[in-house]
Amino acid sequence: MNTVIHQLKKNNLNNKLYIKREDLYPFSFGGNKARKADLFFKEIKNKNIDSVVTYGSSSSNHCRVVANKCASLNIECYIITPEKFESTHNSNLVKMSKAQVIETDIENVEQTINETLHTLQSTNKNVYFIPGGGHGNLGTHAYVNCFDEIVEYEEKQNIKFDYVFLASGTGTTQAGLVCGTILKDRTDLKVIGISIAREQKRGSSIIKKSIEDYLGKKYNEPIYFFDNYTCGGYGQTNRKIEEKIQEMYLVEGIALDPIYTAKAYYGMEEYLKSNKITEKNILFIHTGGTPIFFDYMEELL
Ligand SMILES: *Cc1c(COP(=O)(O)O)cnc(C)c1O
């Protein structure tokens, strides 16, 4: 399913800024989790699955999409969540989708997943496990497909992107885009992940592994994954990020959220500034998360 790419009004250091609207991917408020889920659920339908188990926190876009997909296909959905499943727009949508939420301590997550799978299997359920965030080769493949759309746009518009920026969490989305540059012979295009939580060393080694798993061979090129804008970790934010959200809404009419896309957008601008990048074509991938924008309405006002 193709999502739109358009140019932004804002001009940044004489760079042309474009945005790919994955937030408008047409299911459950869109986002990269919706694109990944399409591939997981294609397999789930083929395998006659009746129960799906996955993992994520109360602000997880992945859990919202998976629970919504399960509801629409009449499949039981089990969400393992660390600590408390706090009330957020995403967690409320999970509840609306009638998923069963299982809370556990963060250190017991893996054990709880295994126990849940085991219990379901022992009652003759046909169970499918989706890794947290839609991590794994299917998730990577979803973003190889997305990269194909980017190349298609370039050809139609007769332009070439020099940089792609995005919010990077598990790194699956970034890994898919990097694999896309390799498969399409476009390694001149730099894919830059702005970490939303993980520190650089761990984050980039996981991306490298995802790329190698997908390509089935070693990958030794540099991975651009920067942890300077995490604000101290997952869900942490600061005034500058909040100001960026307001600015993007007022100038472009686009909703960013403080956990993922606003950090990435802010990080992109800082990166362009500090590396004195000008006169380039820059593509920002809006990876979604619109319900989280509404979680922060009070702070924004
Ligand atoms: C999950 C998520 C990301 C990170 O995607 P990964 O593939 O895990 O790196 C970025 N933005 C949004 C809005 C997300 O929900």
Side-chain angles (χ1 to χ4, degrees):
M1 200 86 78
N2 227 307
T3 61
V4 68
I5 296 177
H6 62 86
Q7 201 174 343
L8 291 174
K9 239 171 90 182
K10 282 178 21 160
N11 169 307
N12 180 295
L13 309 163
N14 278 328
N15 293 303
K16 281 195 181 136
L17 294 181
Y18 294 78
I19 189 163
K20 183 160 173 64
R21 302 294 302 275
E22 292 289 281
D23 57 319
L24 302 179
Y25 194 88
F27 187 78
S28 196
F29 299 94
N32 61 347
K33 304 310 183 306
R35 186 186 282 274
K36 291 181 196 180
D38 266 355
L39 297 188
F40 283 100
F41 278 86
K42 201 168 153 199
E43 193 166 282
I44 285 166
K45 279 186 251 175
N46 288 338
K47 288 187 169 168
N48 271 324
I49 297 297
D50 53 39
S51 312
V52 165
V53 177
T54 194
Y55 160 74
S57 73
S58 39
S59 46
S60 167
N61 294 309
H62 167 73
C63 292
R64 177 195 76 242
V65 170
V66 169
N68 200 165
K69 278 270 182 203
C70 285
S72 77
L73 293 166
N74 225 352
I75 292 172
E76 285 180 20
C77 182
Y78 297 83
I79 307 270
I80 317 293
T81 196
E83 314 301 345
K84 279 263 158 291
F85 204 57
E86 314 275 356
S87 169
T88 66
H89 285 84
N90 276 334
S91 71
N92 290 336
L93 291 165
V94 165
K95 286 178 198 154
M96 194 199 279
S97 303
K98 306 245 185 305
Q100 293 220 35
V101 178
I102 302 164
E103 293 175 339
T104 183
D105 295 338
I106 190 120
E107 60 272 16
N108 289 333
V109 162
E110 204 175 311
Q111 194 194 334
T112 309
I113 291 172
N114 289 332
E115 282 169 7
T116 308
L117 292 171
H118 189 79
T119 309
L120 289 166
Q121 277 151 357
S122 68
T123 57
N124 287 326
K125 296 281 189 192
N126 197 8
V127 191
Y128 188 96
F129 176 66
I130 305 180
H135 186 64
N137 277 341
L138 281 177
T140 306
H141 187 60
Y143 276 83
V144 170
N145 293 344
C146 176
F147 190 78
D148 291 350
E149 294 177 14
I150 294 170
V151 172
E152 219 174 89
Y153 179 86
E154 288 185 319
E155 285 166 359
K156 264 198 205 133
Q157 300 292 321
N158 202 17
I159 62 160
K160 284 222 152 147
F161 292 118
D162 301 291
Y163 293 87
V164 170
F165 286 87
L166 75 151
S168 218
T170 68
T172 317
T173 304
Q174 185 171 353
L177 293 168
V178 171
C179 290
T181 65
I182 297 163
L183 297 171
K184 287 277 179 194
D185 209 9
R186 283 299 310 285
T187 49
D188 56 298
L189 197 167
K190 270 192 188 168
V191 178
I192 302 193
I194 307 294
S195 173
I196 54 103
R198 282 179 183 161
E199 44 118 357
Q200 183 159 32
K201 198 156 164 257
R202 170 156 180 260
S204 30
S205 81
I206 294 172
I207 294 170
K208 177 172 149 70
K209 186 171 179 307
S210 296
I211 296 170
E212 292 179 344
D213 282 352
Y214 185 81
L215 296 175
K217 60 179 186 198
K218 285 273 163 222
Y219 181 75
N220 289 316
E221 299 306 315
I223 285 162
Y224 304 101
F225 177 84
F226 298 109
D227 63 5
N228 331 29
Y229 315 102
T230 60
C231 308
Y234 186 81
Q236 305 290 317
T237 177
N238 66 31
R239 199 61 210 142
K240 279 188 177 143
I241 303 288
E242 286 164 13
E243 280 166 10
K244 194 49 66 189
I245 296 174
Q246 297 195 358
E247 180 191 321
M248 279 299 278
Y249 182 71
L250 296 179
V251 178
E252 310 279 358
I254 291 173
L256 300 181
D257 79 89
I259 300 184
Y260 301 99
T261 50
K263 279 184 182 175
Y265 195 91
Y266 176 76
M268 171 180 77
E269 288 192 339
E270 294 295 308
Y271 183 93
L272 295 175
K273 222 189 302 172
S274 58
N275 290 283
K276 301 192 170 56
I277 293 167
T278 82
E279 322 234 315
K280 301 285 186 203
N281 290 323
I282 316 279
L283 179 65
F284 180 76
I285 314 274
H286 191 318
T287 42
T290 301
I292 304 174
F293 169 81
F294 292 102
D295 286 337
Y296 285 83
M297 205 41 88
E298 298 277 312
E299 280 88 336
L300 295 175
L301 292 172

